[in-house]
Amino acid sequence: SQTIHQWPATLVQPVGSPLSLECTVEGTSNPNLYWYRQAAGRGLQLLFYSVGIGQISSEVPQNLSASRPQDRQFILSSKKLLLSDSGFYLCAWRPDRVGRAFFGQGTRLTVV
Amino acid sequence: DQQVKQNSPSLSVQEGRISILNCDYTNSMFDYFLWYKKYPAEGPTFLISISSIKDKNEDGRFTVFLNKSAKHLSLHIVPSQPGDSAVYFCAASGEFLAGGSYIPTFGRGTSLIVHP
């Protein structure tokens, strides 16, 4: 069966520090991968998606970047965090381009 | 501009009664709709979905209704249980989104509280 791992679960980082969140999927190959953010009082906002290694699409301009160095690995990064980057970050995957997405447990990021 | 709207941020229901969560969308090109349930500090989990070729889909206590002319869908939970207390997200997808990627667009969620 397929599983998705996302870490860390919680993170407190100072403004201006770098960020690296990692997500890996097991039990499948060539998944479609996504990073979402849930800010306080808001819904799930799509940040990045990837349909294959090295292929990254960004949905919104922001202080963040994403990379997919391996088929089942998706990384969310920032060189310098802003206070507004605080939120709940979710990695998700889909086996194909249609159908439901499976989410990781999320990372609660607080920028102080 | 939100394409998927959940206008009720919260809903409170008595155990055993029906919970009705509503969702509206603006683009008639959406053709696949999903509901997710989310507990605090966890990722959302898929609940039920419906294709635009149907107007109803049922799975146990959960039923989703789709009214394409009104661009409206609803999730019915009968009977409601305290364990159903969570945030429910409505999502819609379509081939027109993000270069045909069918990525779901989410609403802001409705917090359901089921009282014992």
Side-chain angles (χ1 to χ4, degrees):
Chain A
S1 64
Q2 302 89 0
T3 56
I4 180 168
H5 301 280
Q6 187 181 341
W7 66 92
T10 59
L11 192 59
V12 180
Q13 290 284 98
V15 169
S17 64
L19 172 73
S20 181
L21 301 180
E22 190 164 340
C23 171
T24 59
V25 181
E26 294 178 359
T28 187
S29 59
N30 198 32
N32 292 288
L33 296 170
Y34 310 88
W35 279 109
Y36 283 87
R37 175 172 60 198
Q38 183 186 13
R42 301 187 61 115
L44 299 176
Q45 180 188 33
L46 178 67
L47 302 175
F48 300 95
Y49 69 94
S50 171
V51 298
I53 296 174
Q55 300 179 59
I56 308 294
S57 297
S58 174
E59 284 296 292
V60 292
Q62 59 215 318
N63 185 42
L64 303 167
S65 62
S67 62
R68 185 169 176 174
Q70 299 180 41
D71 180 43
R72 290 170 288 173
Q73 184 185 31
F74 205 22
I75 298 172
L76 182 69
S77 305
S78 173
K79 291 183 179 178
K80 287 186 178 182
L81 284 169
L82 306 171
L83 287 174
S84 57
D85 291 325
S86 294
F88 192 58
Y89 288 82
L90 290 155
C91 180
W93 76 278
R94 286 196 298 174
D96 47 50
R97 72 178 188 91
V98 181
R100 61 183 182 175
F102 299 87
F103 285 85
Q105 290 296 293
T107 296
R108 171 68 61 192
L109 172 65
T110 304
V111 183
V112 296
Chain B
D1 183 32
Q2 268 200 297
Q3 296 194 73
V4 178
K5 300 177 183 179
Q6 293 177 259
N7 293 319
S8 297
S10 63
L11 175 68
S12 184
V13 171
Q14 202 69 30
E15 181 179 7
R17 300 291 186 104
I18 183 172
S19 295
I20 300 177
L21 298 113
N22 294 303
C23 178
D24 297 292
Y25 59 96
T26 58
N27 196 320
S28 59
M29 294 179 70
F30 283 126
D31 57 13
Y32 191 67
F33 305 90
L34 312 96
W35 283 95
Y36 284 82
K37 176 180 178 181
K38 184 184 180 298
Y39 293 116
E42 294 184 10
T45 55
F46 170 78
L47 203 53
I48 193 168
S49 63
I50 187 167
S51 164
S52 61
I53 63 173
K54 295 185 175 182
D55 54 19
K56 176 183 175 181
N57 188 25
E58 191 172 354
D59 184 1
R61 297 187 296 114
F62 303 92
T63 303
V64 55
F65 295 91
L66 176 63
N67 182 334
K68 289 188 290 293
S69 61
K71 297 191 186 71
H72 176 84
L73 66 155
S74 60
L75 174 68
H76 293 211
I77 306 173
V78 183
S80 301
Q81 299 174 353
D84 295 329
S85 298
V87 176
Y88 289 79
F89 287 98
C90 169
S93 68
E95 191 163 10
F96 69 100
L97 289 167
S101 63
Y102 252 98
I103 298 173
T105 298
F106 286 84
R108 294 191 174 187
T110 296
S111 177
L112 172 66
I113 299 172
V114 180
H115 298 281

